[in-house]
Amino acid sequence: MWRVTHGPFARFNTALYKIGYPPWGASVRRRLIAQLNVDLVIDCGANTGQYAAGLRNAGYFGRILSVEPGSEAFAQLETAARRDRRWECLRAAVYDEDGRVSLRVAEESPCNTLFNPLPSDDEMVPGVQTAFIEEVEALTLDTIVDRYASGAQRIWIKLDVEGAELRAVSGGKTALGRSVAVEAELGLVPIYENEPMFFEMSKVLYEEGFFLCNTSGAFQDTQGTWIKIDGVFLRNEFRGKVRL
């Protein structure tokens, strides 16, 4: 999320990203979280904590659970959250079953993935290439909610898991039932093998009782073409009851 590292606005947006301020979508997210009375944000694919820092800068001071599988990124995430008692960290990949998986740690850590990058993306998306592989724990969303979301009733789930979004949703049917919103990175052009596109993710979330209420740019290639967007899906019961 909030990664505009290529294209005509790269320098400006990367600077905002590093200090925790998203260039797009922040005001909408802030208003929705407040109106929905969110009591827990589950930040899947937390990287080094940029998303959670953005939430804090935007005025959300409720519970955050940041989930990140990569060892190097997780170490930085823990450091970022150290002084925040309501910001917890969990080292794991979010997947469709509990177990162990191979994480492809990319040259640019926000691109860490469980899938092979497509070879055609070497020039268009620098940094996506695999630097090394490490074995990590994988947990489903349902397992995470069962273990760490005790008492939470109005959960906001953020999914930025580099091609594993559909698998995460598949392993989170109970978690979705306790969620008021799902914010997911949606692919417009595939950069990983078997990566779901925006229409596949949208179809599944609509079937689970959500509707797409807002989108914003997430990632551009070197030519400025949008290849990923962020989509916020709300439960159907909130249609017409919240203001963007």
Side-chain angles (χ1 to χ4, degrees):
M1 299 286 177
W2 303 345
R3 297 193 316 272
V4 185
T5 55
H6 306 299
F9 304 106
R11 185 174 301 176
F12 173 72
N13 290 310
T14 299
L16 288 174
Y17 175 60
K18 287 182 177 178
I19 63 175
Y21 285 97
W24 282 282
S27 59
V28 170
R29 183 182 300 108
R30 179 177 62 248
R31 288 193 293 273
L32 288 175
I33 285 176
Q35 292 176 79
L36 296 172
N37 296 312
V38 170
D39 56 8
L40 172 64
V41 174
I42 301 180
D43 172 18
C44 302
N47 196 237
T48 60
Q50 301 94 323
Y51 182 88
L55 291 177
R56 290 296 190 240
N57 288 333
Y60 173 71
F61 298 108
R63 286 183 63 201
I64 300 173
L65 175 63
S66 289
V67 188
E68 167 58 39
S71 57
E72 295 179 358
F74 187 77
Q76 296 180 60
L77 173 65
E78 282 194 307
T79 298
R82 186 169 297 161
R83 298 181 182 277
D84 190 330
R85 294 183 179 180
R86 297 184 64 77
W87 181 2
E88 305 165 73
C89 301
L90 169 65
R91 188 180 172 202
V94 182
Y95 208 50
D96 57 0
E97 60 183 5
D98 298 339
R100 303 287 293 180
V101 292
S102 297
L103 178 71
R104 296 181 176 276
V105 180
E107 294 177 0
E108 296 287 343
S109 68
C111 298
N112 293 351
T113 182
L114 302 179
F115 305 100
N116 289 319
L118 295 173
S120 60
D121 290 316
D122 287 354
E123 295 183 3
M124 299 299 290
V125 191
V128 75
Q129 299 87 349
T130 301
F132 60 93
I133 296 175
E134 59 182 2
E135 296 299 309
V136 301
E137 182 180 18
L139 297 174
T140 66
L141 270 174
D142 281 348
T143 296
I144 292 169
V145 166
D146 182 60
R147 292 182 185 177
Y148 299 96
S150 176
Q153 299 297 321
R154 304 177 72 81
I155 301 172
W156 179 290
I157 295 176
K158 168 261 194 179
L159 295 174
D160 181 6
V161 287
E162 300 304 310
E165 287 80 10
L166 268 183
R167 291 179 179 268
V169 168
S170 177
K173 298 302 176 68
T174 300
L176 291 177
R178 292 176 58 182
S179 303
V180 295
V182 176
E183 182 179 359
E185 189 171 70
L186 306 172
L188 304 181
V189 178
I191 61 174
Y192 307 110
E193 292 180 359
N194 302 314
E195 178 183 1
M197 293 291 93
F198 70 96
F199 49 86
E200 298 171 271
M201 274 293 294
S202 298
K203 180 177 185 294
V204 170
L205 287 171
Y206 270 76
E207 291 172 349
E208 291 297 324
F210 294 83
F211 71 96
L212 181 62
C213 77
N214 189 66
T215 61
S216 56
F219 198 87
Q220 292 171 292
D221 65 18
T222 55
Q223 302 304 308
T225 299
W226 290 107
I227 58 176
K228 289 181 180 292
I229 59 174
D230 293 340
V232 176
F233 297 80
L234 301 185
R235 293 210 68 84
N236 287 335
E237 65 193 81
F238 300 115
R239 185 172 178 84
K241 297 181 180 179
V242 294
R243 294 183 62 83
L244 299 185

